Amino acid sequence: MPFEDRLGEALRHTGHSFELDDRRDLVESGLLRGRRRLARRRTAAVAGSVLALATVGLGGAYAAGLVGGGHGGGDSSVAGPAKPTRPVGGKADGAQMVALLKSLLPAGDVTKEQGSGPADPAKPANADDASLVAPAPAASVVFDDGRGAGAIGLMVNRVDPAAESSGQQVSCPAKAVVHYDACTAEKLADGSRFMLFQGYEYPDRREPTKHWRAVLLTPKGALVDVSEWNAPSEKGAATTRDTPPLTVAQLRTVATAPQWLTVADGLAAPAEEAGSGMASGSAVEKQLLALLPAGKGLKVVEKGNQDGFAFAVVDDGKGKSLVQINVQSRMSDVSPRGETSTLPDGTRIGLDKEPGEKGGAGVVQWIADTVRPDGFRVVVAAFNAGDQSEPATRTAPVLTLDQLRTIALDPHWLSMR
Amino acid sequence: MGGSRWSRAEEFREFAAGRAGQLFRSACLLTSGDTHLAEDLVQETLGRMYALWGRVARIDNPAAYAQTVLVRTFLTHRRRRSATERPLGEVPERLAAAGDDPALRVALLDALGQLSPKDRAVVVLRYWEDRSIEETADAMNVSSAAVRTRSVRALAKLRELLGGSLAEYAAL
């Protein structure tokens, strides 16, 4: 018997000698980690990435690979050479979405056309649901004006114009949280809100890909979200040019084209927000500000929030310090790091001093991580910089570990469980 | 909303319960018998699968995809934990429970433990999961040539460490 076959046999014997002690426990732990992963992803939408895309509920269109990449292309209808037509009765299909987008682009080569729309066959919703839904109207192409190919992606949605999460889509992110070159947010004559963002695919610029984005939110709740990159795909492709292919003015023209409003009209009005099961961001922010120690002459110079997350940049006269907080449920599998202790009621506490996570020179974060017996978790971190991707501005964060611990253990948080 | 979320979790539980045993066995081979690390890897793999579940359900073969996620999790995991790696040759714990001839299993796991994590991943994918060179390359995000090189190197090393005992083993 050749050595490979003997090896295969030995591997099978040995592999099958391992039996799981408790399969159910392992499955439940895996499920818990998956839920945490989803919750973290939502937090990361503010803390790490560009904007709160995920909260709109169609972020999956990008995530599923509609833009560039090529992965997942199989479930998007590929547009044929359709003429730009107005969607019948407002219900667009993928080919119409692509045709509409192409009709708004300047002269150039268009390739890698992908589109989807509510007139396409229903398919399973992305990450958060297994039931069938009509595909969201979206289109993506690779556009080349002769000076380098860049990906362009567009999505249309119907949202509650008054919802906090909708407003976040058209508000410039805080510089303390995300690095970018420029961002403007304005109100248009018809009452729509419009944001134009010029930043990076990776805010820490580990790759040089630029990401420009225009978002329009009308008073009726039509949301048009257009992005472009100076590379033929959102991630994982080398840049082909200095800036994305459309100028800021051209990007604006695409995002504010009235055709998209017709598409949005064809969408069902948004259901009541499903509720992420997380504490309201504005409530977390308010509570955090209220708990900052008085009498230290702290001035809040910047603040912001998203579901279950808030931050404040504070200055005591000796330099800016970023303070951020996460309030989360179902985190009983988290083990607080650093110097750990347990309160009589079973609350686990970890106090730790760690290097910053985003590469600013000399940045440290001091963390108080608290997990109540039911899995309710409050983590407060303070940095010795106003922005953790920039060099440290002071030797220590503005709050001591003890003060962070006091904030995290404050009974007011319990009302957000 | 609550209803569909529930069914998603239920559907996932069913999938996970069906796959956990096999994932665990693969993980034990990948970790050369470190059952604690193996359990951790399976949990992490299931966590990643759950986060992707809506999309994965449309993938042809979620079971095979889970094995791929496991190998990728293992490879990144090892990078993170390399400082605290288990010393080579330490006898794995739960093997005493195994049936016939534990000595040969210990020898095999010990030999696997002497391979680099990537070489071990190649061996597990090729000879435990019976994947082709191309499938192995795809799972590991490396070229087919790299898989061939690793295969040759890993087999030579295993032959050197196990040659004689595997002959006995096959005869059992």
Side-chain angles (χ1 to χ4, degrees):
Chain A
M1 200 193 286
F3 180 74
E4 285 91 328
D5 292 349
R6 281 183 282 143
L7 176 66
E9 199 139 311
L11 282 169
R12 277 187 290 281
H13 274 277
T14 304
H16 286 291
S17 71
F18 290 102
E19 275 306 327
L20 262 180
D21 283 347
D22 187 347
R23 169 171 318 204
R24 259 186 57 190
D25 186 54
L26 200 70
V27 169
E28 290 308 311
S29 305
L31 194 62
L32 199 63
R33 286 196 194 191
R35 285 182 168 143
R36 268 177 60 198
R37 194 166 263 277
L38 290 173
R40 249 198 327 261
R41 193 182 286 168
R42 283 192 283 263
T43 304
V46 156
S49 184
V50 180
L51 297 165
L53 188 64
T55 58
V56 187
L58 52 58
Y62 281 176
L66 196 54
V67 172
H71 297 292
D75 48 44
S76 307
S77 64
V78 174
K83 293 257 186 302
T85 46
R86 233 158 230 275
V88 182
K91 288 236 188 290
D93 64 20
Q96 285 170 323
M97 287 298 294
V98 170
L100 282 173
L101 175 58
K102 284 170 74 176
S103 72
L104 295 167
L105 297 178
D109 277 349
V110 177
T111 54
K112 303 261 173 68
E113 299 170 4
Q114 287 189 305
S116 65
D120 292 328
K123 60 177 188 180
N126 57 53
D128 268 17
D129 208 321
S131 54
L132 289 180
V133 296
S140 71
V141 298
V142 172
F143 175 72
D144 190 345
D145 57 5
R147 279 169 295 173
I152 300 176
L154 172 141
M155 294 186 283
V156 178
N157 198 9
R158 232 354 236 288
V159 298
D160 173 1
E164 201 176 314
S165 58
S166 310
Q168 281 169 352
Q169 300 294 310
V170 283
S171 307
C172 288
K175 280 230 168 183
V177 181
V178 178
H179 252 280
Y180 52 86
D181 291 334
C183 182
T184 55
E186 59 187 301
K187 203 149 202 171
L188 305 183
D190 67 350
S192 296
R193 294 170 67 182
F194 181 75
M195 184 201 68
L196 216 152
F197 172 90
Q198 293 170 271
Y200 296 83
E201 179 61 24
Y202 299 97
D204 64 3
R205 297 190 212 174
R206 61 180 179 272
E207 286 177 27
T209 313
K210 285 182 178 152
H211 175 202
W212 290 5
R213 182 170 178 199
V215 185
L216 176 80
L217 173 67
T218 70
K220 279 175 69 185
L223 188 88
V224 183
D225 184 341
V226 193
S227 284
E228 56 166 341
W229 293 266
N230 60 337
S233 74
E234 185 181 348
K235 296 185 197 300
T239 54
T240 54
R241 44 190 300 144
D242 259 5
T243 57
L246 303 180
T247 64
V248 163
Q250 288 168 331
L251 180 59
R252 184 189 186 105
T253 303
V254 173
T256 56
Q259 289 94 318
W260 305 126
L261 306 185
T262 315
V263 173
D265 283 342
L267 299 173
E272 198 79 356
E273 266 202 17
S276 53
M278 300 174 88
S280 134
S282 54
V284 174
E285 181 185 313
K286 217 170 128 193
Q287 193 57 48
L288 173 66
L289 296 179
L291 291 174
L292 291 175
K296 273 189 113 178
L298 293 183
K299 218 173 76 188
V300 175
V301 295
E302 201 174 359
K303 59 194 179 176
N305 68 75
Q306 198 196 359
D307 285 353
F309 170 82
F311 76 91
V313 179
V314 294
D315 194 334
D316 58 359
K318 292 179 214 144
K320 289 182 193 172
S321 183
L322 170 65
V323 180
Q324 60 183 30
I325 182 163
N326 280 284
V327 177
Q328 303 164 317
S329 299
R330 294 192 306 261
M331 293 288 149
S332 43
D333 63 326
V334 168
S335 303
R337 283 178 295 185
E339 185 195 326
T340 54
S341 56
T342 306
L343 295 181
D345 72 356
T347 300
R348 289 171 295 141
I349 302 171
L351 301 178
D352 203 12
K353 299 183 177 181
E354 297 179 1
E357 289 164 346
K358 293 187 182 169
V363 173
V364 295
Q365 58 175 329
W366 293 3
I367 304 173
D369 192 349
T370 63
V371 184
R372 263 98 173 167
D374 64 352
F376 182 68
R377 181 188 190 203
V378 179
V379 198
V380 194
F383 299 79
N384 60 340
D387 174 337
Q388 55 163 323
S389 44
E390 303 225 304
T393 50
R394 44 189 298 144
T395 49
V398 73
L399 301 175
T400 64
L401 276 176
D402 205 45
Q403 287 170 322
L404 293 170
R405 179 181 188 271
T406 304
I407 293 175
L409 290 175
D410 190 277
H412 283 98
W413 298 118
L414 297 178
S415 68
M416 298 182 188
R417 267 197 278 210
Chain B
M1 294 283 158
S4 58
R5 195 167 283 259
W6 173 247
S7 68
R8 178 180 175 219
E10 280 309 291
E11 186 187 278
F12 178 78
R13 275 196 184 91
E14 195 177 315
F15 166 81
R19 297 310 308 166
Q22 185 67 9
L23 285 168
F24 178 67
R25 288 188 279 274
S26 298
C28 286
L29 293 175
L30 286 169
T31 60
S32 55
D34 183 338
T35 53
H36 292 295
L37 180 54
E39 281 190 5
D40 192 55
L41 288 174
V42 174
Q43 286 177 20
E44 188 62 25
T45 299
L46 293 176
R48 291 185 187 192
M49 288 299 287
Y50 181 74
L52 298 168
W53 189 240
R55 270 172 272 155
V56 166
R58 280 179 279 147
I59 288 176
D60 285 349
N61 188 344
Y65 190 67
Q67 295 285 340
T68 298
V69 170
L70 172 73
V71 170
R72 291 178 183 169
T73 303
F74 164 71
L75 290 173
T76 51
H77 200 91
R78 296 296 290 204
R79 270 205 290 283
R80 267 205 321 262
R81 290 172 62 121
S82 56
T84 58
E85 237 169 77
R86 193 165 58 86
L88 292 178
E90 189 183 309
V91 177
E93 296 167 26
R94 222 182 285 168
L95 271 181
D100 56 340
D101 207 352
L104 282 167
R105 289 191 189 83
V106 172
L108 177 66
L109 292 169
D110 186 50
L112 286 174
Q114 295 191 44
L115 302 178
S116 75
K118 280 192 175 172
D119 284 0
R120 213 180 310 145
V122 166
V123 168
V124 169
L125 285 165
R126 296 268 286 119
Y127 301 106
W128 157 257
E129 293 193 16
D130 286 325
R131 296 207 195 190
S132 69
I133 295 227
E134 287 69 29
E135 288 163 343
T136 302
D138 193 44
M140 293 178 63
N141 280 328
V142 297
S143 68
S144 299
V147 169
R148 276 197 192 89
T149 308
R150 288 190 182 278
S151 285
V152 169
R153 187 171 57 203
L155 285 178
K157 177 94 181 170
L158 291 175
R159 195 190 304 261
E160 173 196 324
L161 293 167
L162 296 167
S165 41
L166 277 198
E168 281 172 56
Y169 201 76
L172 283 176

